Amino acid sequence: MLKVEEISRKYGELTVVDKLSFSVNQGEFVALLGPSGCGKSTSLKMIAGLETPDAGSIELEGRNITRLSPGERKLAMVFQSYALFPHLKVEDNILFGLQARKVPKGEQKKRLDSVVDLVGLGDHLQKKPGQLSGGQCQRVALARAIVAEAKLCLMDEPLSNLDAKLRNEMRTEIRALQQRLGMSVIYVTHDQVEAMSMADRIVLMNNGKVEQIDVPEALYNNPKTIFTAQFIGSPPMNIIKSGSENLGIRPEHIEISEQGMPATILSCDYHGADTIVLADISGQGEDQKLVKIRYPGHALFASDQNISISWAPQNEHRFPL
Amino acid sequence: MINRLNLKAWLLLLPALSLLIAFTHWPTLKSFWRSFTWARSDVAPSQFVGLDNYRIMLDDPVFWKVIENNFWYALGTVPTSIGLAIMMALWVNSKIRCTSLLRLAFFTPTILPMITVANIWLFFYSPNIGLFNQLLGLVGIAGPNWLGDPDLALSSLMVMTIWKEAGFFMIFYLAALQTLSPELFDAAKLEGANAWRIFRKITFPLLMPTTLFVLINALLNAFKLVDHLFILTKGGPNNASNLLLYYIYETAFSFLDSYYAATLTVVMLLTLALIALVQILVIDRRIHYR
């Protein structure tokens, strides 16, 4: 339904978004993922109409919307700061768009009631945003986006202002709402866990360019570039130079075994369910080659202890130099 | 009870307090008392006359004239300069080029002292050589005597006051606008609100605290600032542009009637106190939305 084709945006000499292309299908949850400054927010703003691309086109349901004003695109958006109007009651915040678009009063009421039920804001309609907690503000912002019944909903790091526990709850909740209402969503985040757990497809961006577009499993199992391999997964994939190529192996796929590659323990970082073991696999007199190993349970290794590591061949990834 | 800590606090407050009392509160009380007394001459002892001075005031056509003038002056200058200030602030806050130059241009009238401004405008308004009439002359219109015509004198003063005040108020609005998150306006635009709706529903309500602050200051200035009268009209012709404070000055220092001047001063003080009271009691409570 949404087709972004080769959009670019420059700020002076700096190219922030470079020929970005991707599409969103009806009812699909697409995450724009990447490190800060990779151009994902700028891309979202161009889709929203808050920025104009220097080149390329954006099509929504076959209509070219590249030069339309934000209002004419009829999209909904959830902002990182929520962007709630501090002087308006929750009710008026949610209905702001419907009032601006002159939706009949009865229809407004009907939609308000149903959306308030969905996000659970019943008792707070008469309050001002200043009287609500962060999580409640988030719900108001969500309600304002849902009530518009827009074809496409844009979300710009909507969970980044919440604490870890609430973030996990809202993650599940947003995903559930999206699936229940069949919403098409573009979700911008720098958090790979959010993207992996919520999205149907992920557009991984780096330096304004697309690195890989794929379903979460494919990004994890078949990364096409070293950047993707190291961005998805925590701790990142170990990259070992071997001959004419780079060998990639995830920390969770390395086993500490009787025989295999000799390694020397440098440190152990205990996380509870597992331990991240840092080891050196360089031979005598070579520069250090560090690998991280995810070891289930509590590993009790002494520093400088010599071990052997191995992995199953199907877990190897190979990248050309 | 004054304990040691209290005493220290009072000692620290003493310098400021004694200046305030000596130069503000004591003269205020003195004027208040003086408004109930009268003396035949400067050397004669003053005697208590009760409300006589106030009775004279109510029968004084000039008093009513300056009150009426002050009313129209406030009504004519305050809303217009606030409106202009908002427009200018929105303009220089937008993404156009040369905003710093524009800001400076709008702010210049405020930097100038009122006396300087009045002298500049004296040249604009002069009947024959004045800028306005020369410009009107170019298109073949004989310009009026802006300051000499009783029907125009007060309006001419108002135009100049608006010119001077709007830039000052703009600074407050500009500061307020820059504290507002741009995401609010992005959100409003996305929701399909047009520019007028965004202004009416978002910008203006969020600027309300500033508007009320500016409103009070503008109202107070409408009574307090009469420097330009000394240069431009001296209240004339025939009191057509006279304002309360200038009339007080005339009464005290030209007509040398300090008792009647004190009476007028009390009226002035009560008016200003009333405006301040409205701010403290009503407005402070109603404008906070956070």
Side-chain angles (χ1 to χ4, degrees):
Chain A
M1 62 167 306
L2 181 84
K3 221 160 127 193
V4 175
E5 268 182 274
E6 303 216 320
I7 53 169
S8 300
R9 181 81 172 103
K10 274 188 193 168
Y11 292 132
E13 284 300 295
L14 185 72
T15 305
V16 188
V17 177
D18 191 5
K19 293 190 177 163
L20 173 77
S21 301
F22 70 97
S23 63
V24 180
N25 300 321
Q26 182 65 45
E28 194 180 24
F29 192 119
V30 172
L32 280 184
L33 175 67
S36 345
C38 74
K40 52 193 191 305
S41 284
T42 308
S43 307
L44 196 72
K45 281 189 177 161
M46 287 193 279
I47 296 168
L50 300 169
E51 295 251 1
T52 316
D54 300 323
S57 73
I58 304 167
E59 263 182 33
L60 183 69
E61 294 190 320
R63 195 164 68 119
N64 188 334
I65 59 165
T66 321
R67 308 274 151 193
L68 290 189
S69 74
E72 288 168 323
R73 301 184 184 208
K74 299 199 173 134
L75 305 175
M77 184 155 172
V78 179
F79 290 82
Q80 184 171 3
S81 67
Y82 315 135
L84 300 180
F85 307 120
H87 59 295
L88 296 181
K89 289 183 293 191
V90 166
E91 185 180 356
D92 295 321
N93 260 290
I94 297 174
L95 291 177
F96 185 85
L98 300 188
Q99 287 164 356
R101 296 192 196 282
K102 309 244 174 340
V103 173
K105 279 266 185 312
E107 171 79 10
Q108 284 185 22
K109 177 91 181 69
K110 219 175 75 196
R111 287 210 220 166
L112 177 71
D113 288 346
S114 77
V115 80
V116 161
D117 275 354
L118 273 178
V119 298
L121 274 171
D123 308 332
H124 307 297
L125 283 183
Q126 302 304 315
K127 290 185 188 166
K128 302 250 169 98
Q131 295 164 280
L132 302 180
S133 68
Q136 288 164 338
C137 286
Q138 174 65 71
R139 282 162 201 276
V140 179
L142 218 56
R144 189 170 66 183
I146 294 171
V147 85
E149 294 177 2
K151 295 178 192 113
L152 178 67
C153 180
L154 312 174
M155 302 194 183
D156 186 8
E157 310 229 8
L159 302 182
S160 58
N161 286 344
L162 301 177
D163 62 59
K165 185 170 172 290
L166 203 55
R167 193 153 57 217
N168 289 342
E169 284 172 25
M170 288 303 291
R171 212 163 65 199
T172 327
E173 208 168 309
I174 291 179
R175 176 62 167 162
L177 266 176
Q178 179 263 333
Q179 290 190 317
R180 192 166 145 197
L181 301 174
M183 295 161 75
S184 310
V185 172
I186 300 181
Y187 187 103
V188 163
T189 180
H190 64 268
D191 182 349
Q192 48 147 328
V193 180
E194 270 177 31
M196 294 291 278
S197 63
M198 296 170 86
D200 295 312
R201 267 189 318 143
I202 296 174
V203 178
L204 181 62
M205 291 180 70
N206 184 29
N207 284 328
K209 292 193 173 114
V210 169
E211 200 72 31
Q212 188 167 346
I213 303 180
D214 244 320
V215 296
E217 301 88 303
L219 277 187
Y220 179 80
N221 291 327
N222 300 310
K224 294 208 173 80
T225 61
I226 292 186
F227 176 83
T228 309
Q230 294 209 300
F231 194 83
I232 306 287
S234 167
M237 185 184 281
N238 298 298
I239 303 293
I240 304 158
K241 208 176 145 196
S242 115
S244 64
E245 55 186 1
N246 282 310
L247 180 69
I249 183 78
R250 296 202 177 275
E252 51 271 43
H253 294 147
I254 301 179
E255 283 171 35
I256 296 172
S257 51
E258 297 294 308
Q259 25 176 263
M261 189 182 273
T264 314
I265 302 278
L266 293 177
S267 65
C268 294
D269 198 0
Y270 177 55
H271 285 185
D274 44 28
T275 308
I276 307 301
V277 179
L278 186 65
D280 182 10
I281 55 166
S282 62
Q284 287 282 313
E286 286 178 50
D287 287 340
Q288 271 195 337
K289 274 189 203 163
L290 301 179
V291 291
K292 282 187 174 168
I293 305 157
R294 185 192 287 269
Y295 183 88
H298 195 173
L300 291 164
F301 295 110
S303 288
D304 297 331
Q305 186 180 337
N306 290 316
I307 52 161
S308 296
I309 56 170
S310 64
W311 53 82
Q314 72 265 23
N315 288 327
E316 277 181 8
H317 301 266
R318 289 175 191 282
F319 305 100
L321 271 183
Chain B
M1 276 304 293
I2 296 181
N3 57 31
R4 283 180 61 91
L5 198 70
N6 259 337
L7 188 69
K8 244 185 214 167
W10 280 110
L11 280 173
L12 286 169
L13 286 172
L14 192 63
L17 209 55
S18 45
L19 285 175
L20 261 179
I21 288 172
F23 294 107
T24 304
H25 299 135
W26 177 245
T28 307
L29 288 175
K30 197 78 193 285
S31 297
F32 190 68
W33 170 247
R34 197 169 259 260
S35 73
F36 295 103
T37 61
W38 192 75
R40 199 172 299 279
S41 73
D42 273 355
V43 285
S46 59
Q47 60 195 73
F48 185 78
V49 291
L51 291 171
D52 274 3
N53 286 333
Y54 290 92
R55 253 176 242 124
I56 292 167
M57 182 182 77
L58 294 180
D59 289 335
D60 176 8
V62 180
F63 169 72
W64 289 111
K65 181 70 188 166
V66 296
I67 290 290
E68 190 194 332
N69 282 350
N70 233 145
F71 173 77
W72 289 116
Y73 183 73
L75 200 71
T77 58
V78 175
T80 319
S81 48
I82 290 179
L84 269 177
I86 295 180
M87 283 201 288
M88 292 193 297
L90 286 172
W91 194 28
V92 299
N93 194 43
S94 59
K95 286 182 202 155
I96 49 166
R97 282 152 198 255
C98 310
T99 45
S100 337
L101 276 179
L102 264 179
R103 285 176 201 183
L104 180 67
F106 287 153
F107 197 53
T108 313
T110 305
I111 307 169
L112 302 174
M114 196 62 158
I115 298 291
T116 318
V117 169
N119 274 302
I120 295 171
W121 281 72
L122 188 60
F123 161 69
F124 291 170
Y125 280 141
S126 294
N128 295 315
I129 55 156
L131 180 73
F132 290 157
N133 285 357
Q134 281 192 25
L135 287 177
L136 286 173
L138 286 182
V139 290
I141 300 169
N145 184 351
W146 297 100
L147 299 171
D149 184 337
D151 292 335
L152 287 176
L154 189 64
S155 311
S156 301
L157 289 183
M158 288 198 238
V159 171
M160 192 211 77
T161 307
I162 292 165
W163 179 84
K164 173 151 175 64
E165 300 260 279
F168 183 50
F169 298 146
M170 176 200 73
I171 293 296
F172 292 100
Y173 280 113
L174 192 56
L177 280 175
Q178 295 190 338
T179 64
L180 301 181
S181 156
E183 283 200 340
L184 288 182
F185 301 101
D186 287 349
K189 272 186 236 161
L190 257 136
E191 299 281 346
N194 56 29
W196 171 240
R197 193 178 184 88
I198 291 177
F199 176 76
R200 202 162 47 95
K201 293 277 182 180
I202 311 291
T203 320
F204 189 70
L206 288 178
L207 289 176
M208 213 52 189
T210 312
T211 301
L212 291 161
F213 172 78
V214 165
L215 180 69
I216 296 296
N217 274 283
L219 273 177
L220 293 178
N221 272 352
F223 286 92
K224 274 161 55 181
L225 215 58
V226 294
D227 307 16
H228 47 312
L229 265 71
F230 288 87
I231 306 293
L232 292 176
T233 63
K234 298 197 162 38
N238 190 21
N239 290 316
S241 66
N242 206 351
L243 298 175
L244 181 57
L245 185 56
Y246 190 80
Y247 185 47
I248 293 174
Y249 165 80
E250 278 186 323
T251 310
F253 299 105
S254 303
F255 315 145
L256 296 175
D257 185 348
S258 63
Y259 299 98
Y260 188 43
T263 313
L264 293 169
T265 303
V266 168
V267 172
M268 175 98 181
L269 283 175
L270 288 178
T271 314
L272 296 182
L274 195 72
I275 295 172
L277 208 66
V278 168
Q279 179 186 26
I280 292 162
L281 292 185
V282 185
I283 291 164
D284 265 6
R285 223 182 307 146
R286 289 198 47 204
I287 57 172
H288 292 287
Y289 51 82
R290 282 177 213 281

